[in-house]
Amino acid sequence: MLVSVYCKDVQGGAEIRHRALQEHLEHIETIEDRIKVAGPVMGGAGAEPVASLLIFEVDSVAEATAMLQADPYYQAGLWQEVSIQEFKGVVGSWVGGRQW
């Protein structure tokens, strides 16, 4: 199952990102095999990140939630709003073309 995770940063989140970056990357390396894609959502040309987007391939939404809650960014309070939902990929190179 694919699970999309969108995490909106708190105001002034750049400092938290900087402070927790190394630990965040170390965590990501431990779950990298469960990630289809992940990275920061940029606030515009040359702007700082304003959110994070991850697509997990997991057995359940609960598994994705547990991986997110173990992330040092989550634990440091970087994200003010988190949306975790099952995602159905139906078209694109990641899903092998069209799935209809």
Side-chain angles (χ1 to χ4, degrees):
M1 134 186 312
L2 296 175
V3 175
S4 69
V5 180
Y6 182 81
C7 307
K8 184 177 176 186
D9 289 7
V10 297
Q11 187 73 21
E15 191 275 325
I16 297 171
R17 280 182 178 274
H18 178 73
R19 185 179 71 239
L21 177 61
Q22 188 59 43
E23 292 84 7
H24 165 72
L25 295 176
E26 290 170 3
H27 170 71
I28 292 299
E29 288 174 0
T30 69
I31 61 171
E32 186 174 0
D33 62 326
R34 307 309 305 255
I35 298 172
K36 287 300 204 181
V37 66
V41 176
M42 307 309 287
E48 294 287 328
V50 296
S52 297
L53 176 66
L54 305 98
I55 304 288
F56 290 115
E57 186 170 33
V58 291
D59 294 327
S60 67
V61 171
E63 183 180 358
T65 300
M67 287 190 295
L68 185 71
Q69 291 174 342
D71 191 308
Y73 276 176
Y74 182 93
Q75 295 173 358
L78 173 61
W79 299 313
Q80 72 175 355
E81 192 176 315
V82 175
S83 172
I84 303 174
Q85 298 175 303
E86 184 176 348
F87 173 73
K88 183 172 180 169
V90 296
V91 69
S93 60
W94 288 351
V95 296
R98 286 182 237 136
Q99 303 299 311
W100 58 80

